[in-house]
Amino acid sequence: MRTAACALAVALTAAAPAHAFCGFFVGKADSQLFNKSSQVAIVRDGNRTVITMGNDFKGEMDEFALVVPVPSVLTREQIHVGERRLLERLDAYSAPRLVEYTDGDPCMIARRSVWPMAVAPATKMRDVAAGTANVLGVTVEAAYTVGEYDIVLLSATQSQGLEIWLRQSGYRIPAPAAAALAPYVRQQMKFFVARVNLKEQRKSGYQELRPIQIAFESPKFMLPIRLGMANADGPQDLIVYALTRDGRVESSNYQTVKIPSDVEVPEFVQKEFGEFYKETFAKSWREHGRRAVATEYVWNMGFCDPCAAPPLSTDELRQLGVFWVPDDISRTAPGGVPVTLTRLHLRYDAEHFPEDLMFQETGYQQNFQGRYVIRHPWRGNGSCSGASAYREQLVERRRKEAETLASLTGWEMSRIHQRMGEDAPSQEEMPWWRKLWR
């Protein structure tokens, strides 16, 4: 039985057309781009927390197990099995996106075409003898079957005893498990352990494991990630959707940075947007010492611009645990709705993320999104003075787009020029005097 210990994880998605801004939404970089990724939604208000844990587990259902440190013994009513589509909706709504514009005819009245937006495809205990548990310092505090999961809540007085208990219960605990469990045992945290009940899973009719949701109160706004690294064979991606009442969420113990955004890139990126964004994220991750948390999206849930997918409905927010949303929520009220979504993306390993993720809600409500722009040029045959000026500035624009793309991704300029084809800027440098009297 393999253990997917608290690998709370990431994502990229597609959406329906919506009129909102002057351009086309043409693609997005959703979580499906990243391997070894997980997604988690955290709803936080005061000390109240609701966590929805998704995972990308691939394998036999009887090999799945989840171990999560929690602040207290949870009652049955504090545990729920959610719908995968909720995380998919969050992913689709907040994924980095590519938008496009089309230049107008420079011989006509100077203007840029404004188009409605469109969308393209983008993003294992209950059966352990109580006597043995007591000898190991482990106490089975509670046991439930919820949906397709058998769940036990454990307390432990020694990490080594907990590791032995888990092994005797059939879990293939990685070698450093006791060391990873020790900090949580010292903090007197409890352990939420889940595995698949195959009989219930077959009855459910679901082919994939649904997210587990837990609700609790704790003064700590945090996400335990260290157990998830105990059995990892390399960096993992994690996408966190934080839903709060008052403003943006950031990490309080790791640097939080914004992903590069609002830049123009060559047209061919439209066909390679997934690869483009993976390279852009990776370069930014390396440049920040592989230990920063990247902000990919911050927006009031009342609206979006451009919309990669419609904002979540009141019912969807409630299912995620946003308990303060009123039934009569108005999407058109000034200031939006009392829900801010922050999408955070981190690539982590034990060397660069030795501590669990700690968060804080800020009062900042300034919107932000990972957004990239392509501009289709006018390709007419006009010979007016405006057309001549346009063609000259187009050469310089393409040069800047190529330089920007190289800066974002680290791609060689020769590769970029090759992909740009006949639109690639000349290798000859423009004489300096040509720019003097424009």
Side-chain angles (χ1 to χ4, degrees):
M1 182 182 295
R2 291 180 294 184
T3 306
C6 190
L8 310 174
V10 188
L12 310 181
T13 316
H19 298 270
F21 82 123
C22 49
F24 282 102
F25 171 76
V26 296
K28 57 187 166 186
D30 59 19
S31 59
Q32 296 176 27
L33 282 182
F34 299 90
N35 296 323
K36 300 178 182 177
S37 66
S38 303
Q39 301 180 69
V40 58
I42 306 179
V43 173
R44 175 80 175 182
D45 187 53
N47 288 343
R48 298 177 179 180
T49 302
V50 182
I51 297 180
T52 302
M53 299 173 283
N55 68 80
D56 61 347
F57 178 78
K58 307 293 182 187
E60 298 297 326
M61 294 291 186
D62 60 356
E63 294 186 343
F64 173 84
L66 180 72
V67 182
V68 182
V70 290
S72 59
V73 176
L74 306 182
T75 66
R76 169 64 182 82
E77 291 74 22
Q78 291 174 273
I79 305 167
H80 185 257
V81 177
E83 298 294 332
R84 180 180 291 271
R85 64 177 178 80
L86 296 175
L87 293 174
E88 293 172 347
R89 286 279 288 115
L90 285 170
D91 186 21
Y93 175 70
S94 62
R97 70 275 327 262
L98 180 68
V99 299
E100 65 179 348
Y101 297 88
T102 300
D103 291 344
D105 185 344
C107 295
M108 304 293 285
I109 298 176
R111 61 180 175 83
R112 181 182 297 174
S113 299
V114 179
W115 304 95
M117 196 171 74
V119 177
T123 100
K124 174 23 128 181
M125 303 167 267
R126 171 186 301 178
D127 51 350
V128 174
T132 301
N134 290 337
V135 170
L136 296 171
V138 176
T139 301
V140 180
E141 303 282 1
Y144 318 107
T145 295
V146 182
E148 64 266 41
Y149 297 99
D150 285 336
I151 296 166
V152 293
L153 276 298
L154 307 174
S155 60
T157 58
Q158 51 176 308
S159 58
Q160 191 65 44
L162 179 56
E163 178 177 344
I164 293 172
W165 188 95
L166 290 167
R167 291 185 186 283
Q168 290 181 344
S169 299
Y171 297 94
R172 295 181 183 176
I173 301 301
L181 293 166
Y184 305 108
V185 173
R186 287 197 295 270
Q187 296 175 60
Q188 298 183 331
M189 295 184 74
K190 310 305 178 186
F191 295 88
F192 178 100
V193 185
R195 64 179 172 189
V196 176
N197 182 313
L198 296 177
K199 180 180 178 181
E200 294 297 325
Q201 197 276 329
R202 283 192 291 268
K203 285 168 57 180
S204 72
Y206 290 95
Q207 300 301 311
E208 297 180 317
L209 295 178
R210 294 179 291 171
I212 297 176
Q213 298 179 290
I214 56 177
F216 55 84
E217 292 190 15
S218 173
K220 292 183 179 179
F221 187 8
M222 57 90 74
L223 194 62
I225 61 174
R226 285 176 290 179
L227 286 185
M229 293 184 275
N231 55 352
D233 57 359
Q236 303 175 74
D237 282 275
L238 171 64
I239 289 181
V240 178
Y241 308 103
L243 295 136
T244 52
R245 188 194 296 263
D246 296 323
R248 171 171 57 85
V249 170
E250 62 186 20
S251 173
S252 60
N253 60 334
Y254 293 104
Q255 182 185 17
T256 303
V257 301
K258 291 181 179 177
I259 198 73
S261 180
D262 285 326
V263 293
E264 296 185 8
V265 293
E267 282 184 286
F268 78 87
V269 171
Q270 181 172 354
K271 297 180 180 178
E272 303 177 15
F273 185 54
E275 188 66 23
F276 158 79
Y277 186 72
K278 285 199 296 187
E279 296 291 343
T280 296
F281 176 85
K283 186 167 184 289
S284 177
W285 171 66
R286 292 192 297 269
E287 290 175 345
H288 291 91
R290 307 178 185 223
R291 61 180 72 248
V293 178
T295 300
E296 294 183 326
Y297 193 81
V298 180
W299 215 274
N300 184 283
M301 188 54 81
F303 61 102
C304 45
D305 182 21
C307 294
L312 274 67
S313 67
T314 300
D315 180 62
E316 289 172 322
L317 291 172
R318 286 275 181 82
Q319 291 184 54
L320 284 165
V322 186
F323 57 86
W324 64 86
V325 175
D327 293 331
D328 58 348
I329 188 171
S330 174
R331 298 282 177 177
T332 60
V337 301
V339 185
T340 296
L341 171 64
T342 303
R343 175 182 174 125
L344 301 171
H345 184 172
L346 65 152
R347 180 165 293 169
Y348 66 102
D349 58 26
E351 178 183 356
H352 301 95
F353 284 83
E355 301 176 355
D356 289 325
L357 279 171
M358 306 298 294
F359 300 111
Q360 61 184 9
E361 180 183 8
T362 71
Y364 298 112
Q365 297 189 2
Q366 185 175 6
N367 295 325
F368 172 80
Q369 59 185 320
R371 174 178 176 270
Y372 308 92
V373 180
I374 57 173
R375 290 176 59 186
H376 301 294
W378 172 73
R379 300 183 186 278
N381 297 318
S383 57
C384 66
S385 59
S388 299
Y390 171 82
R391 293 189 180 102
E392 288 188 14
Q393 66 85 26
L394 183 59
V395 172
E396 184 61 19
R397 190 175 89 190
R398 285 170 168 161
R399 187 188 310 278
K400 290 182 178 178
E401 291 174 348
E403 292 172 352
T404 297
L405 182 57
S407 174
L408 288 175
T409 61
W411 291 351
E412 295 291 338
M413 193 61 79
S414 57
R415 170 186 176 180
I416 294 173
H417 285 175
Q418 181 183 33
R419 297 293 293 117
M420 292 178 72
E422 61 182 14
D423 290 339
S426 170
Q427 301 298 305
E428 297 180 7
E429 187 173 349
M430 180 185 294
W432 62 271
W433 57 84
R434 284 192 181 176
K435 302 180 181 179
L436 278 180
W437 296 289
R438 294 185 176 184

